[in-house]
Amino acid sequence: DTGVSQDPRHKITKRGQNVTFRCDPISEHNRLYWYRQTLGQGPEFLTYFQNEAQLEKSRLLSDRFSAERPKGSFSTLEIQRTEQGDSAMYLCASSSTVEQYFGPGTRLTVT
Amino acid sequence: GENVEQHPSTLSVQEGDSAVIKCTYSDSASNYFPWYKQELGKGPQLIIDIRSNVGEKKDQRIAVTLNKTAKHFSLHITETQPEDSAVYFCAASIGGNNRLAFGKGNQVVVIP
């Protein structure tokens, strides 16, 4: 399968813990996006990478969130000191031009 | 603004009939408009898209129309089948990095 992959698919954590998600984009896609989706809503943009450079961040991305794409391939999204409001599906998408292809997402539940 | 709105929120159709979902957007600079299909527990799947220099695009049973003047675009599904049942999202590109602003989604139910 050469699509976008995300790991883990599900994560349950207690409030206050740190979590990290990984995204592997489609090979040779230089653009990578993170979105967050809550129940009954469309995805909301969080941040954008072109190669290893983080070029855009949403105001939704609080100081507790950090994302990296160290070698311009896979990316990680870390949430520190998780809160119940962080419970959502975290989606990654990659692109080489304008079409964005999404991975299956990581569903985070904060208890 | 970056608002994208979809209507209706839920749509039920008999198998074989057509389904139409409409979206409006607010950012006049948007120039790319994709549609995604999302099934339960899966990520959004790109099914068709249209760019601002085109008024209509068709791919088998799916078509999209765009009216830039009115800032609205629509998804048309003909000869609906049970496997078309899903949530459909429209989106519009925002800014030079082409981040997407999504609507809230339409639940389409195809009744066999």
Side-chain angles (χ1 to χ4, degrees), chain B residues 52-106:
Chain B
S52 60
N53 58 348
V54 176
E56 183 174 358
K57 183 178 177 180
K58 188 174 181 180
D59 182 4
Q60 299 182 351
R61 297 187 297 108
I62 295 173
V64 57
T65 58
L66 171 65
N67 183 328
K68 280 220 75 176
T69 302
K71 294 185 192 172
H72 68 71
F73 55 114
S74 300
L75 177 71
H76 305 251
I77 307 173
T78 58
E79 301 172 19
T80 53
Q81 301 168 5
E83 52 265 37
D84 294 330
S85 296
V87 178
Y88 291 81
F89 291 97
C90 63
S93 64
I94 305 292
N97 296 323
N98 290 320
R99 70 180 186 276
L100 296 177
F102 284 82
K104 289 187 175 183
N106 293 92

Side-chain angles (χ1 to χ4, degrees), chain B residues 2-112:
Chain B
E2 302 181 3
N3 292 336
V4 176
E5 295 188 2
Q6 286 185 241
H7 307 277
S9 58
T10 304
L11 179 62
S12 295
V13 296
Q14 291 290 330
E15 182 177 357
D17 287 351
S18 295
V20 180
I21 304 170
K22 299 178 181 179
C23 277
T24 59
Y25 62 97
S26 60
D27 188 344
S28 57
S30 294
N31 58 14
Y32 173 68
F33 307 91
W35 284 90
Y36 288 86
K37 175 184 180 182
Q38 188 173 30
E39 297 174 321
L40 200 61
K42 297 184 178 180
Q45 175 194 0
L46 179 65
I47 57 172
I48 196 167
D49 55 16
I50 193 167
R51 305 194 188 197
S52 60
N53 58 348
V54 176
E56 183 174 358
K57 183 178 177 180
K58 188 174 181 180
D59 182 4
Q60 299 182 351
R61 297 187 297 108
I62 295 173
V64 57
T65 58
L66 171 65
N67 183 328
K68 280 220 75 176
T69 302
K71 294 185 192 172
H72 68 71
F73 55 114
S74 300
L75 177 71
H76 305 251
I77 307 173
T78 58
E79 301 172 19
T80 53
Q81 301 168 5
E83 52 265 37
D84 294 330
S85 296
V87 178
Y88 291 81
F89 291 97
C90 63
S93 64
I94 305 292
N97 296 323
N98 290 320
R99 70 180 186 276
L100 296 177
F102 284 82
K104 289 187 175 183
N106 293 92
Q107 176 74 59
V108 173
V109 178
V110 180
I111 303 166

Side-chain angles (χ1 to χ4, degrees), chain A residues 9 31 33 35 37 40-43 45 48 56 91 98-104, chain B residues 32 36 38 41-44 46 49 51 89 96-100 102-105:
Chain A
R9 295 292 309 278
R31 302 181 181 201
Y33 303 79
Y35 293 83
Q37 184 178 26
Q41 302 294 317
F45 170 77
Y48 164 70
E56 190 171 357
L91 293 161
V98 291
E99 296 89 356
Q100 293 183 30
Y101 298 93
F102 282 82
Chain B
Y32 173 68
Y36 288 86
Q38 188 173 30
K42 297 184 178 180
L46 179 65
D49 55 16
R51 305 194 188 197
F89 291 97
N97 296 323
N98 290 320
R99 70 180 186 276
L100 296 177
F102 284 82
K104 289 187 175 183

Side-chain angles (χ1 to χ4, degrees), chain A residues 38-53:
Chain A
T38 53
L39 199 61
Q41 302 294 317
E44 294 177 296
F45 170 77
L46 292 178
T47 191
Y48 164 70
F49 289 86
Q50 184 164 323
N51 299 311
E52 67 275 9

